[in-house]
């Protein structure tokens, strides 16, 4: 219990509500080991719903949730997955305050003559029916789009050098960053956290030197887990060549502050994901590409293009760190082996019939 027994509260409703939130925060952080950002987002949703309903949790009803959802959907500014996340936060908070283990129902009954109930049910919340709910404009970039992006990024380096501008090093770094994201199928956050010692030799590919394998130490975490690690084998010699050139000829020119970050800023700090996204958006817009394209689309392209070129889907799944093959299937624009095999049989049968 967060509240102290035997203490008279000046504003009991606010004190009990704040105590519920603090207790829930401790449960998520201490017991479930969730990230502070995840917890703060959930607490914000609960506070927002409380302000909308103008009622405390022990007075909430399913009708209050229905009204809030109706208003959010009518505004048309939130996706279905966002709505479901809001509902999930309210559901989990209600699970916490209605649990007999935490005694909040008893406290509310004694102080306010009412107790909290679960207001999120199967019949008034969004079901998770599809594996991917992102925007339809999130897609793999075509090979031509990737090449156009890389060429444009290289042109910005040449232009800055020709004009004697200060940003030549940053332009060179960013051009290499985009090639690395595509060349190893990385997320922007994973790319940002790379250090110089994360690459090492692979005895099966001595021609790639010390860039034969990449140890990703800050992969996407699941709820309550530390960052997931994985090893990515280098598949694109041209990307290795580009990265080696950056490490040998460009990175040493930065003002280094004793760190080991692979991608440095002008002040010697670590390049951040938002900076990668901003530079990508700048180049994308200059090229007139779809506004929905992001650096993550280069990761999608890595999956699609390697499978198109004949790489085994299970191998690519391991390369990009997907737990489930269905997640990898979402990333790629080509069919699975079964679909491709059936297509080939049908085409062969049709072509044979036509020849006869």
């Amino acid at each position: 219990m967060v509240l102290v027994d035997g203490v008279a509260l000046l504003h009991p409703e606010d004190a009990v509500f704040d105590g519920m939130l603090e207790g829930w925060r401790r449960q998520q952080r201490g017991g479930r080991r969730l990230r502070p950002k995840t917890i703060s987002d959930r607490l914000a949703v609960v506070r927002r719903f409380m302000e909308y309903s103008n009622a405390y949790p022990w007075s909430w009803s399913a009708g209050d949730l229905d009204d809030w959802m109706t208003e959010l959907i009518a505004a048309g500014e939130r996706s279905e997955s966002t709505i479901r996340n809001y509902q999930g936060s309210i559901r989990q908070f209600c699970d916490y305050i209605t649990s007999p283990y935490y005694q909040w129902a008893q406290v509310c009954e004694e102080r306010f003559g009412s107790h909290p109930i679960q207001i999120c049910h199967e019949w008034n919340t969004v079901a998770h029916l599809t594996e991917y709910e992102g925007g339809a404009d999130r897609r793999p970039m075509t090979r031509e789009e990737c090449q156009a992006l890389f060429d444009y990024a290289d042109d910005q380096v040449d232009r800055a050098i020709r004009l004697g501008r200060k940003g030549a090093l940053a332009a060179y770094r960013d051009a290499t960053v985009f090639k690395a994201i595509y060349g190893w199928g990385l997320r922007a956050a994973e790319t940002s956290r790379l250090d110089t010692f994360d690459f090492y030799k692979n005895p099966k590919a001595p021609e790639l030197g010390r860039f034969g394998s990449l140890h990703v130490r800050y992969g996407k975490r699941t709820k309550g887990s530390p960052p997931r690690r994985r090893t990515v084998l280098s598949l694109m010699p041209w990307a290795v060549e580009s990265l080696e050139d950056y490490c040998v000829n460009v990175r040493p020119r930065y003002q280094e502050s004793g760190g080991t970050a692979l991608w440095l800023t002008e002040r010697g700090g670590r390049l951040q994901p938002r900076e990668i996204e901003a530079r990508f958006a700048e180049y994308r817009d200059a090229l007139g590409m779809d506004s929905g394209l992001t650096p993550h689309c280069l990761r999608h392209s890595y999956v699609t293009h390697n499978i198109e070129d004949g790489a085994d889907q299970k191998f690519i799944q391991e390369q990009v760190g997907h737990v489930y093959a269905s997640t990898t299937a979402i990333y790629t624009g080509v069919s699975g082996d079964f679909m491709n095999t059936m297509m080939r049989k049908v085409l062969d049968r049709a072509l044979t019939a036509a020849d006869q």
Side-chain angles (χ1 to χ4, degrees):
M1 293 297 296
V2 177
L3 300 178
V4 180
D5 292 336
V7 175
L9 303 176
L10 184 60
H11 301 288
E13 292 86 357
D14 291 337
V16 170
F17 179 59
D18 290 341
M20 288 175 167
L21 292 178
E22 175 60 20
W24 191 40
R25 185 193 67 79
R26 295 182 187 180
Q27 181 227 38
Q28 294 179 92
R29 185 57 180 164
R32 301 179 59 190
R33 306 299 298 168
L34 299 184
R35 299 174 66 186
K37 178 66 166 58
T38 300
I39 298 171
S40 63
D41 288 347
R42 291 178 174 179
L43 294 176
V45 170
V46 173
R47 286 190 180 278
R48 184 174 177 185
F49 177 58
M50 195 275 286
E51 293 173 0
Y52 171 83
S53 65
N54 197 28
Y56 291 99
W58 49 92
S59 300
W60 289 350
S61 69
D64 294 328
L65 181 71
D66 294 343
D67 291 342
W68 191 40
M69 292 297 107
T70 300
E71 181 173 296
L72 292 177
I73 294 172
E77 298 178 354
R78 289 163 183 82
S79 66
E80 203 159 287
S81 59
T82 300
I83 294 294
R84 191 178 61 253
N85 287 335
Y86 285 2
Q87 294 171 349
S89 296
I90 301 298
R91 177 188 286 112
Q92 292 182 55
F93 177 69
C94 289
D95 283 341
Y96 167 73
I97 61 177
T98 57
S99 170
Y101 297 108
Y102 298 102
Q103 305 173 31
W104 287 113
Q106 177 184 341
V107 169
C108 293
E109 192 69 48
E110 292 174 353
R111 291 182 179 272
F112 312 118
S114 179
H115 60 82
I117 61 173
Q118 175 60 263
I119 63 173
C120 295
H121 306 280
E122 183 178 342
W123 41 265
N124 71 340
T125 55
V126 178
H128 192 174
L129 300 177
T130 61
E131 295 182 54
Y132 179 66
E133 296 179 336
D137 51 359
R138 283 293 187 89
R139 59 170 176 80
M141 296 173 66
T142 65
R143 296 175 191 267
E144 292 75 18
E145 287 174 328
C146 290
Q147 190 61 57
L149 175 69
F150 300 149
D151 289 344
Y152 184 82
D154 290 340
D155 289 343
Q156 300 315 297
V157 181
D158 295 337
R159 183 170 182 271
I161 294 175
R162 186 174 65 254
L163 297 177
R165 291 185 175 177
K166 184 179 179 181
L169 287 180
Y172 203 116
R173 174 203 62 203
D174 294 339
T176 313
V177 164
F178 297 143
K179 295 170 186 175
I181 292 176
Y182 176 75
W184 283 271
L186 304 173
R187 301 177 178 90
E190 295 171 346
T191 306
S192 168
R193 299 299 297 272
L194 291 180
D195 287 296
T196 54
F197 51 75
D198 287 330
F199 287 90
Y200 55 94
K201 294 181 179 180
N202 186 333
K204 298 297 183 181
E207 66 274 21
L208 300 181
R210 72 180 187 92
F211 297 98
S213 300
L214 167 62
H215 188 198
V216 177
R217 295 177 294 116
Y218 292 93
K220 185 177 181 181
R221 68 174 74 203
T222 56
K223 293 180 179 178
S225 74
R228 287 186 292 175
R229 298 184 176 217
R230 72 179 188 277
T231 296
V232 183
L233 305 182
S234 302
L235 303 180
M236 302 181 184
W238 64 266
V240 170
E241 182 180 346
S242 176
L243 182 61
E244 184 175 20
D245 181 56
Y246 165 80
C247 291
V248 173
N249 299 312
V250 177
R251 187 181 178 279
R253 295 175 179 268
Y254 275 95
Q255 174 189 349
E256 190 173 354
S257 56
T260 58
L262 179 60
W263 316 108
L264 295 170
T265 66
E266 288 80 355
R267 296 180 179 272
R270 183 183 296 273
L271 185 70
Q272 297 301 309
R274 65 179 181 276
E275 297 173 290
I276 298 174
E277 293 165 358
R279 182 57 69 98
F280 180 93
E282 177 188 336
Y283 290 178
R284 175 202 65 202
D285 295 343
L287 289 167
M289 294 182 178
D290 296 344
S291 60
L293 295 176
T294 68
H296 202 72
C297 294
L298 290 170
R299 175 173 158 88
H300 285 236
S301 302
Y302 171 87
V303 173
T304 296
H305 297 165
N306 275 295
I307 293 178
E308 284 179 344
D309 291 341
D312 181 77
Q313 186 162 326
K314 176 62 177 176
F315 170 69
I316 298 301
Q317 177 186 340
E318 295 292 332
Q319 288 278 94
V320 295
H322 288 157
V323 177
Y324 302 106
S326 58
T327 308
T328 308
I330 292 170
Y331 272 54
T332 178
V334 300
S335 304
D337 289 341
F338 174 77
M339 297 287 288
N340 284 328
T341 300
M342 291 301 102
M343 180 193 71
R344 188 67 261 168
K345 287 183 177 180
V346 172
L347 285 176
D348 289 344
R349 190 182 304 121
L351 292 173
T352 301
D355 291 339
Q356 293 176 349

